[in-house]
């Protein structure tokens, strides 16, 4: 294992149940790690600790085996960051902002920045103050990736982007992963995390309720969730008596939802052949569905 | 020790206000000086109140902009996402603040020296001493004021709090010093404001009391700046 980020027993209590509590997780080199949770669940607080902006009350966070509070400035040589709130320094145009940041970072070669500017279709000569939310976000993305940092922290990195640009960001994340970069991203857009992340942590009320390996969610698809509505009640009750794994019955609509492994699918068709079916639909197993289940489970406890 | 990149950025963001305030101060001083009174009298008229007020406006606005406003807005995140230490950021801002006030006072002093030179053909050694005492004293008062605002700016996440505390204190000091001029009944309030430590009459009278008063102002400045840098380097920043 090539551990690159470690969060150990991290606690920051802001009172009234807000904050983050006893967070433990590690991210390996070359991994894309997602953080998901509703607003106020603690995603930003966690990332701010990694950036060394917040001092842990208990526990610690480290990047490349260095404490991220103590070695905050030194670690910035290896870390790119998109803050959750976009507010630029007092410079005129997008390009002035990139030049300023490049000067801080000691970057002389602008080819990477230009490549990103083109890729995201950004008008770098536009005035920062006049930029739309999406344009500002694109500027923040260019800034975070232009230094070719080994580690990128994205706090809601796709906020304000149109769907096309959102998927461009997802592609960029995948490409960076291919280059061996490590990416730690928070989001509430499941689609974004689903297609790019290796693992996703669920945060609720400042605690991690689960960390899933995306492969297991993607792999789950060999068992499918299928919903069938029957035209008559007799067929419906007939169907219920069959040996299928029925997970939900909605009697008022004559609907049944079953979980069925791919190998048994023909048996289902055999049974349905002699019945009056209104529709049949497959519900894809998504990160979102998984999250909702987990979230509700945690609620019930 | 300081970040040149940040210094350039800070100069750009704050120079216009500094120039405007300096221009007004210098212009007033030139006008008063050109009436041809002795330097001592001109100094007493000008330095007694006007620059204190004008400089305070610059100090309150700029003090907030240097740190608190950038944390409040969130733009500080971009500086601190580069390998620049927080202490370096705070030190750079402090150096700018002190330096800009020094230069402002230097230019203002020039606005007294040049008309005197033109009118009298020369500036006598005693006039030099008075001018230096007047303007260096004002610089020390500005150092103390700005230190207070800088400290407030380093402590608070919100501009409004930084201005309320830093600007509030400086404003209160100024108001009290003005109040103390309204007759014997209010004279005692001068003991509650540091503005009293820069007393043009004491300076003009030739007494040496100004020395300890200047030292106290310098002390306030040093302590507040030093703690400001320390606090900003160690505290939580919501960026």
């Amino acid at each position: 294992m090539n551990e690159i980020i470690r969060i150990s027993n991290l606690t920051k209590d802001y009172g009234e149940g807000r904050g983050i509590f006893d967070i433990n997780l590690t991210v390996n080199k070359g991994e894309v790690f997602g953080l998901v949770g509703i607003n106020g669940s603690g995603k930003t607080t966690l990332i701010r600790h990694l950036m060394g902006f917040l001092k842990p009350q208990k526990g610690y966070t480290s990047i490349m085996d260095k404490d991220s509070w103590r070695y905050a400035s030194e670690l910035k040589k290896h870390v790119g960051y998109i803050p959750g709130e976009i507010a630029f320094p007092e410079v005129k145009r997008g390009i002035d902002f990139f030049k300023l940041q490049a000067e801080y970072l000691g970057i002389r070669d602008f080819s990477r920045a230009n490549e990103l500017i083109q890729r995201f279709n950004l008008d770098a000569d536009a005035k920062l103050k006049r930029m739309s939310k999406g344009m500002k976000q694109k500027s923040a993305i260019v800034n975070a990736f232009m230094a070719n940092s080994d580690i990128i922290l994205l706090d809601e990195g796709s906020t304000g982007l149109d769907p096309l640009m959102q998927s461009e960001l997802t592609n960029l994340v995948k490409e960076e992963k291919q280059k061996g970069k490590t990416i730690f991203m928070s989001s509430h857009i499941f689609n974004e995390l689903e297609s790019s992340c290796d693992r996703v942590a669920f945060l609720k009320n400042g605690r991690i309720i689960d960390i899933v390996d995306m492969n297991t969610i993607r792999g789950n698809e060999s068992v499918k969730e299928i919903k069938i509505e029957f035209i008559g009640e007799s067929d419906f009750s007939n169907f219920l008596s069959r040996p299928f794994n029925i997970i939900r019955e909605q009697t008022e609509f004559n609907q049944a939802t079953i979980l069925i492994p791919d190998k048994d699918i023909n048996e289902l068709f055999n049974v349905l052949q002699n019945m009056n079916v209104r529709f049949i639909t497959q519900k894809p197993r998504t990160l979102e569905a998984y999250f909702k289940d987990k979230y509700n489970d945690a609620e019930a406890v | 020790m300081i970040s040149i990149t940040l210094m350039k950025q800070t100069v750009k963001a704050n120079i216009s206000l500094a120039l405007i305030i300096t221009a007004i101060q210098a212009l007033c001083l030139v006008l008063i000086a050109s009436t041809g009174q002795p330097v001592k009298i001109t100094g007493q008229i000008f330095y007694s109140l006007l620059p204190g007020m004008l400089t305070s406006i610059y100090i309150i606005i700029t003090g907030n902009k240097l740190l608190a406003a950038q944390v409040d807005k969130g733009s500080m995140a971009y500086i601190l996402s580069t390998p620049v230490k927080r202490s370096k950021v705070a030190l750079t801002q402090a150096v700018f603040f002190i330096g800009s006030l020094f230069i402002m006072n230097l230019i203002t002093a020039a606005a007294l020296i040049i008309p005197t030179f033109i009118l009298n053909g020369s500036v006598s050694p005693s006039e030099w001493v008075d001018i230096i005492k007047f303007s260096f004293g004002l610089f020390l008062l500005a150092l103390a004021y700005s230190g207070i605002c800088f400290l407030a700016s380093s402590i608070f996440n919100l501009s409004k709090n930084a201005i309320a505390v830093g600007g509030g204190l400086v404003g209160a000091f100024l108001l009290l010093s003005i109040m103390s001029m309204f007759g014997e009944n209010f004279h005692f309030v001068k003991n509650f404001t540091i503005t009293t430590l820069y007393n043009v009459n004491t300076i003009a009278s030739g007494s040496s009391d100004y020395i300890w008063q200047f030292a106290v102002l310098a002390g306030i400045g040093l302590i507040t700046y030093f703690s400001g840098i320390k606090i900003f380097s160690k505290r939580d920043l919501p960026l």
Side-chain angles (χ1 to χ4, degrees), chain A residues 32-35 43-44 47 50-51 79-84 137 140-142 144-145 151-159 169-170 172-173 176 182-187 192-193 196:
Chain A
V32 181
F33 194 93
L35 202 57
K43 304 189 290 286
T44 297
I47 293 179
L50 289 174
M51 285 298 287
V79 177
Y81 176 50
I82 299 185
Q137 191 68 28
I141 293 170
V142 171
F145 285 93
I151 302 158
I152 310 269
L153 307 177
L154 305 161
D155 191 359
E156 308 271 359
S158 64
T159 315
L169 178 61
T170 305
L172 179 62
V173 166
E176 293 296 297
T182 308
I183 289 147
F184 191 95
M185 59 199 283
S186 81
S187 180
E192 187 184 358
L193 295 173
S196 52

Side-chain angles (χ1 to χ4, degrees), chain A residues 12 48 51-55 69 73 76-77 81 83 87-90 97 100-101 103-105 140 143, chain B residues 3 5-6 8-9 13 65 73-75 77-86 234-239:
Chain A
K12 187 86 177 178
R48 282 174 179 166
M51 285 298 287
F53 294 156
L54 300 178
K55 191 177 186 180
W69 170 259
S73 60
K76 301 296 155 55
K77 287 173 196 155
Y81 176 50
F88 295 115
E90 278 190 45
F97 168 58
L100 176 70
Q101 290 300 109
E103 202 175 319
Y104 279 122
L105 292 160
N143 172 58
Chain B
S3 159
T5 310
L6 177 59
K8 283 193 280 185
Q9 197 190 344
K65 272 172 80 181
K73 252 177 69 186
S75 59
Y78 289 102
I79 305 172
L80 294 181
S81 65
T82 66
V84 183
K85 276 202 174 100
R86 282 198 211 181
K234 295 278 170 214
R235 76 182 184 90
D236 282 347
L237 294 173
L239 296 172

Side-chain angles (χ1 to χ4, degrees), chain A residues 228-243:
Chain A
I228 309 153
E229 180 171 316
F230 298 91
I231 290 173
E233 204 217 325
S234 59
D235 280 344
F236 176 58
S237 43
N238 185 349
F239 183 79
L240 293 185
S241 66
R242 303 299 178 120

